[in-house]
Amino acid sequence: MKDEQTTVSNEQPAILGRRRFINTAALTGLTLGVAACADKKGDAAPAAASGPATTAQHGAGGANATHLKPGELDSYYGLWSGGHTGDVRVLGLPSGRELLRIPCFNPDALVGWGITNESKKVMGTKADGSLRYTVADTHHVHASYKDGNYDGRYAWVNDKINSRIARIRLDYFVCDKITELPNVQGFHGIFPDKADPVDPKINYTTRVFCGAEFSIPLPNTVGTEDGTKYHSLFTCVDAESMDVRWQVLIDGNCDLTATSYDGKLAATNQYNTEMGVKYEDMMSAERDACLFFNIARIEEAVKAGKFKTYGDSKVPVVDGRLESNKDPKTALTAYVSVPKNPHGVNASPDTKYFICAGKLSPTATVIELAKVLDYFDGKLESPDKAIVAEVELGLGPLHTAFDGRGNAFTTLFLDSQVVKWNVEAAIKFHAGDKSAKYVVDRIDVQYQPGHLNASQSETRAADGKYLAVGCKFSKDRFLPVGPLHAENEQLIDISGEKMVLLADHPVRGEPHDFIIFKRDLVKPKQVYALEDFPLAVKDPKESGVTRNGKKVTVKLTSQAPAFSMREFKLKKGDEVTLILTNLDKVEDLTHGFAIPKYNVNFIVNPLETASVTFVADKPGVFWCYCTHFCHALHLEMRTRMIVEA
Amino acid sequence: MKDEQTTVSNEQPAILGRRRFINTAALTGLTLGVAACADKKGDAAPAAASGPATTAQHGAGGANATHLKPGELDSYYGLWSGGHTGDVRVLGLPSGRELLRIPCFNPDALVGWGITNESKKVMGTKADGSLRYTVADTHHVHASYKDGNYDGRYAWVNDKINSRIARIRLDYFVCDKITELPNVQGFHGIFPDKADPVDPKINYTTRVFCGAEFSIPLPNTVGTEDGTKYHSLFTCVDAESMDVRWQVLIDGNCDLTATSYDGKLAATNQYNTEMGVKYEDMMSAERDACLFFNIARIEEAVKAGKFKTYGDSKVPVVDGRLESNKDPKTALTAYVSVPKNPHGVNASPDTKYFICAGKLSPTATVIELAKVLDYFDGKLESPDKAIVAEVELGLGPLHTAFDGRGNAFTTLFLDSQVVKWNVEAAIKFHAGDKSAKYVVDRIDVQYQPGHLNASQSETRAADGKYLAVGCKFSKDRFLPVGPLHAENEQLIDISGEKMVLLADHPVRGEPHDFIIFKRDLVKPKQVYALEDFPLAVKDPKESGVTRNGKKVTVKLTSQAPAFSMREFKLKKGDEVTLILTNLDKVEDLTHGFAIPKYNVNFIVNPLETASVTFVADKPGVFWCYCTHFCHALHLEMRTRMIVEA
């Protein structure tokens, strides 16, 4: 245990009194598993009443800053994880407007994601050609780096249900690769590296790290009941090939993930170091950990053949467990002890610190990365000595964002607040200077915030303009729409000393996490090149039906407002592959293609080619029509599919 | 043909000159099928430059009216069709915020729509239990009426791809029934009736009318190539049972649908009276039609057994073709001739008129309903005599909304404008009073508008406050996000003489149509009753695994932050039905349930019960976890599914 004093806040006594009281009650309640429910209805109100009286001022006056005039463009992009929808949402900020949903893990009937052969190949199919999975649970989206800032190449997002990672191309804003991680379950935290740990010329992302939250038998092929035989792994995926490079067997589990700016360290917070298999057992330890990985050493070990494989997987797994890593000078991992049940680990934009939020502890723990490297060099007696602050922030601290001016912003789930605090002041306070006022401001949010992120927060270019807060419950903030409430993504102005609440944005549950970056960091492309598609039908004259026994290929092109063939004939039982190239090259002149009763609908963007394969099992006349508005004569844009009995 | 003069506008010559010029060029281009493509890039700019110079004034100053302060509630609900996503979107207005997406025709991985047995039953399955369809194309959403205003019971939406109609319960905001229409393809227009045609006590919706756009062989079981054997039908669905009551065989096709306030008439506009099977053939007639249905007579004919059935369908089909309905006194239908290729038919809130927009003709046609009834009574020599105005509005008129003060608002697709015009003035102008100035105002919109609707527009309570315009192309109005652009739903203040553009809202393609109504017209329920679900597990003590050979039932309950069983065991090959009841009764305390690698994820709202059925075909340990944030210990909310090999 760290010294008790560090968990004492340096705020004025009155506030501390209220929060200490709630603190005790809520934490007791939590272990009984009922507090947050009761808390949901009433906590925010008393917090506003007795907390620092900033809410009223915050609410007034600031609203217009976010509201753009018609036609005015946003200055930032936001990439929001789409939660169970399995997609990534693209927002414009500060307006909060949703500009696009990029389907990744789940089918999307607009795009034809999961319908076209091209998208099915990305998503993964079973032996019979049907989709392997149609559900997902995306939590965290992060983008590729160069020189410590986003470089507009890629973004990645996790699927917790089926332990998959998807990559988004940020030129076309499409998902181009999905990899299912072996040997793990509950893949949660994800973060790209920012540089190579060894080669300074590689000052950009080449790896993506993935933490697995659930522990399972290795391999998971029999229903072993004995939890002591379960393990959790930390995974490295190649940013380009999307192959799994290596995994690390660990003690405890992985929650969130962070990476250092120099590429040498990655870390995950661990909320279940006990490796309990029942809810009650996950709460038994005094402290949990922030687990550091020495990337260069792990890759040396893999190169030296010091690994195992499990089951059918060929992925090398190195041993990162405590017992095998006692000598810091050879250790692959370092377990830094942090208060019980932490949630969230975030890298400060000054490149110096990782900050772990306490969740069940009202604290944030500041870990100095130079000291972690010292530990791996044998210069620090224990990894815990890398902790430079452990300070009280409020109830239920979860995630931390930064303004690039030395301040951190941490969500307080139970207090329904965001607290702004100064990291260097917190370090001074922790070092013994009890006059150091590290808490700068608090603002009530509506309600129960999870993730938050500031503009450019997790880059060297953190600019301290906007803070978005993902509130898990909206309660009374929007018109009622039945049992399923929207969540509330709130936008806060953090450019001044005091935080100012700008706007409430309802969102479909539940986005979890997001990043916000300047609009000039991406260079979107809006028209495809014909050559990008091997199957492209490059001229309407190539249109036609070719037959090879039962196998039939139909080639079509689209040019508003007509398809290249007015009709085509098939025979019942044909195995048909239909290829459609959109020869319209005007930006945004997208066409759709639906076949009634055949469960086909997809779109082709300008100069895009897509294909579908189906069995013509229903005789009759089927009007294939353009489903994406294209032209005044869009309704007439059809072709007749005649299936002879 | 109506007299030529009626297509002459009464605007000042300069504007008319520009529009006449574009008119000619664009219509020529249209028949060649290329104009709108070229038009997309440049049309809006010249329109703004040479049209009435109202845009600049409109754009400035008005913006703040729509922007609510944080926590402020919207005053209107909007129900937006979700396009290819197959859902219905619930918006708050004037903020334009999306509060909910209600899955209907397509799976939704958040809710578990298409995953749970309950939702699969609504959606429809094949013999093997898999979903019959996973794509849809929703266009129009309309709600149930009482006394000429919305009564908050139901909304309905069409699926054009598979000719299905879905019903939404507006208490829980869920889809509860879906019906597939027999004998038709391309079901497009949809509108509920507003009263019974015979019984004045039934002053509320009991029927929903559905128009089929594509003509097909009857029955559609062989690939008949001969288009003269194809037919289109108009369908009546029972609002309560959702059974198909009857259908009408017609000449030509059905596009949009409208109903009269007295329940006596329904109508559909017809853009392909030629019944062409190729794009070029659909353009050959001089005029098309607005086809009226005499509901009472149709139901008498059905009662008298004057119908046929087709194929496997038991639905009575009466004959509404021209040839069989020459005597107005017994006719089931009346074909009112309107200019070529119309789009959109809308009922005015004064209950007197249906207005057909011209699309390829720059006109709107006003049809007086009392005169249509006169025709059916033998008092009018021809149905065309029911036309009381046919006036020029601009290029590409599509749909019309109303302010309840005698003004109509029509989208001009090619002009990228909304034109405000006075209906009674148009009637006077048409009657010969060339001094009647029927065009009141024009506003440029961004860009190429399709549907529009005003607050309460299609009710007797039209209040003339807000107008939403579904612009098919957003072009430069939002940050670029790759090839697939958002569409632009614009909000316009119509409370004054001049229209004022308030805001641009990007939306995922393509919503098509929507309705806007006052928030007090619905009474949402936010917590279910246990009794609503026959399978409810009413007490955690009922939890357990019961086995009947290979058939296994797992009963579970949820109460934050735990499921009632910490683990449950299955054997490989078991056919499992898992039933989960959420015993949390606090509003919005929703839980999720995911089974890794088993493609299961769904949510249970407060006191809701849902079930899934699957085969336990993969041995191992599977951490079923709560996917919907519920509590500070949400991450720990899991149960272990152990499948023994």
Side-chain angles (χ1 to χ4, degrees):
Chain A
M1 290 286 286
K2 300 297 298 180
D3 54 331
E4 280 298 319
Q5 287 91 304
T6 56
T7 62
V8 174
S9 162
N10 64 352
E11 289 184 278
Q12 62 269 45
I15 293 164
L16 190 60
R18 179 190 76 87
R19 289 183 34 253
R20 276 221 180 109
F21 169 74
I22 296 182
N23 186 339
T24 317
L27 288 181
T28 308
L30 278 172
T31 56
L32 297 172
V34 294
C37 317
D39 178 71
K40 276 190 61 189
K41 293 302 279 186
D43 184 55
S50 61
T54 50
T55 314
Q57 303 96 294
H58 285 157
N64 289 334
T66 125
H67 297 313
L68 305 179
K69 292 198 190 78
E72 200 176 345
L73 294 183
D74 281 296
S75 42
Y76 293 85
Y77 283 97
L79 294 182
W80 252 247
S81 97
H84 318 82
T85 313
D87 55 9
V88 168
R89 301 171 190 170
V90 184
L91 269 62
L93 290 164
S95 75
R97 298 180 294 194
E98 184 184 276
L99 304 174
L100 183 69
R101 301 204 291 270
I102 306 169
C104 300
F105 299 112
N106 293 351
D108 180 295
L110 165 62
V111 177
W113 195 251
I115 300 281
T116 65
N117 296 331
E118 291 71 19
S119 61
K120 285 169 86 170
K121 197 177 160 196
V122 174
M123 295 175 78
T125 52
K126 297 182 200 167
D128 68 358
S130 66
L131 291 173
R132 198 169 168 81
Y133 302 115
T134 59
V135 301
D137 181 19
T138 64
H139 282 234
H140 312 107
V141 56
H142 291 289
S144 58
Y145 285 81
K146 187 173 184 183
D147 285 333
N149 197 355
Y150 300 125
D151 65 359
R153 279 183 298 146
Y154 297 126
W156 290 272
V157 66
N158 76 309
D159 163 27
K160 183 169 169 180
I161 297 181
N162 297 309
S163 293
R164 293 176 292 172
I165 173 173
R167 183 173 72 186
I168 313 274
R169 283 180 63 161
L170 287 178
D171 50 358
Y172 288 117
F173 284 79
V174 292
C175 171
D176 75 334
K177 291 233 185 204
I178 291 176
T179 299
E180 187 166 345
L181 308 184
N183 302 324
V184 301
Q185 217 169 86
F187 157 37
H188 189 223
I190 183 173
F191 220 102
D193 72 0
K194 293 158 186 149
D196 189 83
V198 176
D199 183 351
K201 288 195 297 295
I202 303 175
N203 61 343
Y204 52 86
T205 295
T206 59
R207 301 167 185 80
V208 187
F209 300 113
C210 311
E213 199 176 320
F214 306 152
S215 300
I216 52 169
L218 284 178
N220 189 25
T221 48
V222 286
T224 316
E225 209 177 334
D226 179 359
T228 65
K229 297 195 174 136
Y230 294 4
H231 299 282
S232 176
L233 303 175
F234 187 77
T235 301
C236 173
V237 172
D238 190 278
E240 279 302 324
S241 70
M242 288 288 282
D243 293 334
V244 178
R245 282 199 188 182
W246 44 258
Q247 297 183 300
V248 185
L249 187 73
I250 62 166
D251 287 320
N253 69 341
C254 305
D255 187 15
L256 278 296
T257 304
T259 62
S260 67
Y261 282 83
D262 62 7
K264 295 185 196 302
L265 296 171
T268 181
N269 65 299
Q270 303 191 293
Y271 68 79
N272 182 17
T273 50
E274 306 91 333
M275 300 189 69
V277 293
K278 295 183 186 173
Y279 155 68
E280 295 80 354
D281 301 333
M282 300 177 191
M283 258 19 88
S284 59
E286 283 282 318
R287 285 174 78 90
D288 283 307
C290 182
L291 167 56
F292 282 82
F293 299 90
N294 187 314
I295 306 303
R297 284 191 194 163
I298 289 167
E299 301 203 338
E300 280 163 23
V302 170
K303 207 179 284 177
K306 294 179 188 160
F307 61 79
K308 283 190 185 178
T309 62
Y310 294 95
D312 297 336
S313 165
K314 301 273 180 290
V315 172
V317 181
V318 300
D319 189 349
R321 290 174 298 178
L322 259 171
E323 191 61 30
S324 318
N325 290 276
K326 284 187 166 171
D327 179 359
K329 293 201 169 182
T330 58
L332 309 182
T333 54
Y335 293 73
V336 176
S337 139
V338 297
K340 181 187 176 66
N341 210 284
H343 193 63
V345 52
N346 296 93
S348 63
D350 61 9
T351 78
K352 294 200 285 193
Y353 309 111
F354 281 5
I355 291 170
C356 269
K359 190 163 79 168
L360 292 198
S361 156
T363 58
T365 302
V366 182
I367 301 167
E368 188 173 339
L369 301 184
K371 289 184 192 272
V372 175
L373 291 175
D374 283 349
Y375 169 76
F376 280 121
D377 286 345
K379 295 178 194 159
L380 208 66
E381 74 184 80
S382 131
D384 286 8
K385 297 284 179 195
I387 295 172
V388 292
E390 194 172 304
V391 291
E392 185 172 327
L393 297 177
L395 293 185
L398 294 188
H399 299 282
T400 300
F402 305 93
D403 65 2
R405 296 186 290 270
N407 299 304
F409 300 80
T410 301
T411 44
L412 302 176
F413 175 78
L414 293 176
D415 276 342
S416 272
Q417 287 185 336
V418 171
V419 55
K420 174 180 178 179
W421 54 288
N422 185 279
V423 178
E424 294 302 336
I427 292 170
K428 277 185 200 152
F429 180 82
H430 180 84
D433 177 2
K434 299 305 175 200
S435 71
K437 301 273 181 245
Y438 59 88
V439 171
V440 180
D441 190 25
R442 291 176 187 279
I443 187 168
D444 289 337
V445 293
Q446 288 75 29
Y447 303 93
Q448 265 76 37
H451 279 275
L452 85 176
N453 219 336
S455 45
Q456 296 278 155
S457 169
E458 297 189 276
T459 72
R460 284 177 192 265
D463 67 0
K465 287 209 169 163
Y466 294 108
L467 181 77
V469 184
C471 295
K472 296 295 187 182
F473 298 97
S474 62
K475 295 185 189 179
D476 53 358
R477 304 290 281 191
F478 307 114
L479 289 181
V481 288
L484 186 62
H485 295 220
E487 298 183 12
N488 189 6
E489 305 283 289
Q490 291 189 308
L491 194 71
I492 292 173
D493 181 347
I494 55 167
S495 59
E497 177 84 355
K498 289 258 169 207
M499 295 177 275
V500 179
L501 180 63
L502 297 176
D504 287 19
H505 295 297
V507 292
R508 186 161 180 79
E510 50 186 314
H512 294 281
D513 201 5
F514 40 86
I515 59 173
I516 301 164
F517 53 87
K518 288 186 175 164
R519 68 184 185 196
D520 56 4
L521 291 177
V522 289
K523 302 274 175 267
K525 296 181 184 172
Q526 295 176 281
V527 175
Y528 282 101
L530 272 185
E531 300 67 42
D532 293 345
F533 304 92
L535 297 180
V537 186
K538 295 184 179 174
D539 191 297
K541 292 190 208 105
E542 293 172 31
S543 304
V545 178
T546 53
R547 175 177 293 277
N548 181 0
K550 284 235 159 252
K551 290 202 185 282
V552 175
T553 304
V554 179
K555 291 186 180 182
L556 268 174
T557 62
S558 57
Q559 279 171 294
F563 295 108
S564 54
M565 294 192 288
R566 298 290 180 269
E567 61 199 29
F568 58 96
K569 277 191 206 170
L570 303 170
K571 294 197 178 88
K572 189 184 169 185
D574 283 348
E575 292 167 45
V576 184
T577 294
L578 185 148
I579 304 164
L580 173 61
T581 297
N582 182 7
L583 292 180
D584 278 316
K585 25 178 142 358
V586 176
E587 187 182 317
D588 201 23
L589 194 40
T590 295
H591 296 288
F593 193 84
I595 313 179
K597 314 289 179 182
Y598 271 90
N599 208 35
V600 166
N601 187 35
F602 62 96
I603 59 169
V604 275
N605 290 302
L607 297 187
E608 188 179 21
T609 297
S611 65
V612 289
T613 299
F614 59 92
V615 175
D617 55 1
K618 287 172 283 288
V621 173
F622 302 91
W623 288 100
C624 308
Y625 70 97
C626 176
T627 44
H628 204 82
F629 196 95
C630 59
H631 188 281
L633 293 175
H634 164 69
L635 284 181
E636 286 82 355
M637 186 165 172
R638 310 185 206 158
T639 179
R640 248 197 314 177
M641 179 171 97
I642 299 172
V643 182
E644 294 172 340
Chain B
M1 289 287 287
K2 301 295 298 181
D3 55 329
E4 279 299 320
Q5 286 91 305
T6 57
T7 61
V8 175
S9 162
N10 63 352
E11 290 184 278
Q12 61 269 44
I15 293 165
L16 191 61
R18 178 192 76 88
R19 288 181 36 252
R20 277 223 179 106
F21 170 75
I22 296 181
N23 186 339
T24 317
L27 288 180
T28 309
L30 278 172
T31 57
L32 296 173
V34 295
C37 316
D39 178 72
K40 278 190 60 189
K41 294 301 279 188
D43 184 55
S50 60
T54 50
T55 315
Q57 303 95 293
H58 285 158
N64 288 335
T66 122
H67 296 314
L68 305 179
K69 292 199 189 78
E72 201 177 343
L73 294 184
D74 281 297
S75 42
Y76 293 86
Y77 284 96
L79 294 182
W80 252 247
S81 98
H84 319 82
T85 312
D87 54 10
V88 168
R89 302 171 190 169
V90 184
L91 269 62
L93 291 163
S95 75
R97 298 180 295 195
E98 184 184 277
L99 304 174
L100 183 70
R101 300 203 292 269
I102 306 169
C104 300
F105 299 112
N106 293 351
D108 181 295
L110 164 62
V111 177
W113 195 251
I115 300 282
T116 64
N117 296 331
E118 291 73 18
S119 61
K120 286 170 88 170
K121 197 176 159 197
V122 174
M123 294 175 78
T125 52
K126 298 182 199 166
D128 67 358
S130 66
L131 291 173
R132 196 169 169 81
Y133 302 115
T134 59
V135 302
D137 180 19
T138 64
H139 283 234
H140 312 106
V141 56
H142 291 289
S144 58
Y145 286 81
K146 187 172 185 183
D147 285 332
N149 198 354
Y150 299 124
D151 64 0
R153 279 183 298 145
Y154 298 125
W156 290 272
V157 66
N158 75 309
D159 163 27
K160 182 169 169 180
I161 298 181
N162 297 308
S163 293
R164 293 176 293 172
I165 172 172
R167 183 173 72 186
I168 312 274
R169 284 181 61 161
L170 288 178
D171 51 357
Y172 288 117
F173 285 78
V174 292
C175 170
D176 74 333
K177 290 233 184 203
I178 291 177
T179 298
E180 187 167 345
L181 308 183
N183 302 325
V184 301
Q185 217 169 86
F187 157 36
H188 188 223
I190 183 174
F191 220 101
D193 72 0
K194 294 159 187 149
D196 188 83
V198 177
D199 183 351
K201 289 196 297 294
I202 303 175
N203 60 345
Y204 52 87
T205 295
T206 59
R207 301 167 185 80
V208 186
F209 300 113
C210 310
E213 199 177 319
F214 306 153
S215 300
I216 52 170
L218 284 178
N220 189 24
T221 49
V222 286
T224 316
E225 209 178 332
D226 180 1
T228 65
K229 296 196 175 137
Y230 295 2
H231 300 281
S232 175
L233 303 175
F234 187 76
T235 301
C236 173
V237 172
D238 190 279
E240 278 303 323
S241 70
M242 288 287 282
D243 293 334
V244 179
R245 282 199 188 182
W246 44 258
Q247 297 183 300
V248 185
L249 186 74
I250 62 166
D251 287 320
N253 70 340
C254 305
D255 187 15
L256 278 296
T257 304
T259 62
S260 67
Y261 282 83
D262 62 6
K264 295 184 197 303
L265 296 171
T268 181
N269 65 298
Q270 303 191 293
Y271 67 81
N272 183 17
T273 50
E274 307 91 332
M275 299 189 69
V277 293
K278 295 183 186 173
Y279 156 69
E280 294 81 354
D281 302 332
M282 300 178 192
M283 258 19 90
S284 59
E286 283 283 317
R287 286 174 77 90
D288 282 308
C290 180
L291 167 55
F292 281 82
F293 299 90
N294 187 314
I295 307 303
R297 285 190 193 164
I298 289 167
E299 300 202 338
E300 281 162 23
V302 170
K303 208 179 283 177
K306 293 177 188 163
F307 61 81
K308 282 190 184 177
T309 63
Y310 293 95
D312 296 337
S313 164
K314 301 273 181 289
V315 172
V317 180
V318 300
D319 189 348
R321 289 175 298 178
L322 260 172
E323 191 61 30
S324 318
N325 291 275
K326 285 188 166 170
D327 178 0
K329 293 201 170 182
T330 58
L332 309 182
T333 53
Y335 293 72
V336 176
S337 139
V338 297
K340 181 187 174 67
N341 211 283
H343 193 64
V345 52
N346 296 93
S348 63
D350 61 8
T351 78
K352 295 200 284 193
Y353 308 112
F354 280 6
I355 291 170
C356 268
K359 191 163 78 168
L360 293 197
S361 156
T363 58
T365 302
V366 182
I367 301 168
E368 188 174 340
L369 301 184
K371 289 184 191 271
V372 175
L373 291 175
D374 283 350
Y375 169 76
F376 280 120
D377 286 344
K379 295 178 194 160
L380 209 66
E381 73 184 80
S382 130
D384 286 7
K385 297 284 179 193
I387 295 172
V388 292
E390 194 172 302
V391 291
E392 185 172 328
L393 297 178
L395 294 184
L398 294 187
H399 300 281
T400 300
F402 306 93
D403 66 2
R405 296 186 291 271
N407 299 305
F409 300 79
T410 300
T411 44
L412 301 176
F413 175 78
L414 293 175
D415 276 342
S416 272
Q417 288 185 335
V418 171
V419 54
K420 175 180 177 180
W421 54 288
N422 186 277
V423 178
E424 294 301 335
I427 293 170
K428 276 186 202 153
F429 181 82
H430 180 83
D433 177 3
K434 297 308 173 199
S435 70
K437 301 275 181 243
Y438 59 88
V439 171
V440 180
D441 189 25
R442 292 176 185 278
I443 187 169
D444 288 337
V445 293
Q446 288 75 31
Y447 303 93
Q448 264 76 36
H451 278 275
L452 85 175
N453 218 337
S455 46
Q456 296 278 155
S457 169
E458 297 189 276
T459 71
R460 284 177 192 264
D463 66 1
K465 288 209 169 166
Y466 294 109
L467 181 77
V469 184
C471 295
K472 296 295 187 182
F473 298 97
S474 62
K475 296 185 189 178
D476 54 356
R477 304 291 282 190
F478 308 114
L479 289 180
V481 288
L484 186 62
H485 295 221
E487 298 184 11
N488 188 7
E489 304 282 290
Q490 292 189 307
L491 194 71
I492 293 174
D493 181 346
I494 55 166
S495 60
E497 177 84 355
K498 289 257 170 207
M499 295 177 276
V500 179
L501 180 63
L502 297 176
D504 286 19
H505 295 297
V507 292
R508 185 160 180 81
E510 51 186 313
H512 295 282
D513 201 5
F514 39 87
I515 59 173
I516 301 164
F517 54 87
K518 288 187 176 164
R519 69 184 185 199
D520 56 3
L521 291 178
V522 290
K523 303 274 174 266
K525 296 180 184 172
Q526 295 177 282
V527 175
Y528 282 102
L530 272 184
E531 300 67 42
D532 292 346
F533 303 93
L535 297 180
V537 186
K538 295 186 180 174
D539 191 297
K541 291 191 207 104
E542 294 173 30
S543 304
V545 178
T546 54
R547 175 177 292 278
N548 179 1
K550 284 237 160 247
K551 290 205 185 279
V552 176
T553 304
V554 179
K555 291 186 180 181
L556 269 174
T557 62
S558 56
Q559 280 171 293
F563 295 109
S564 54
M565 294 193 288
R566 298 291 181 269
E567 61 198 30
F568 58 95
K569 277 192 207 171
L570 303 170
K571 294 197 179 90
K572 188 184 169 185
D574 283 347
E575 292 166 45
V576 185
T577 295
L578 185 147
I579 304 164
L580 172 60
T581 297
N582 182 6
L583 292 180
D584 279 315
K585 24 179 146 354
V586 176
E587 187 183 316
D588 202 22
L589 194 39
T590 295
H591 295 288
F593 193 85
I595 313 180
K597 313 290 178 182
Y598 271 89
N599 207 36
V600 167
N601 187 35
F602 62 96
I603 58 169
V604 273
N605 291 302
L607 297 187
E608 187 179 21
T609 297
S611 65
V612 288
T613 298
F614 59 91
V615 175
D617 55 1
K618 288 172 282 290
V621 173
F622 303 91
W623 288 101
C624 308
Y625 70 98
C626 177
T627 43
H628 205 82
F629 195 93
C630 59
H631 188 281
L633 293 175
H634 163 68
L635 284 181
E636 286 81 355
M637 186 165 174
R638 310 186 206 158
T639 179
R640 247 196 316 176
M641 179 171 96
I642 299 172
V643 182
E644 294 172 340

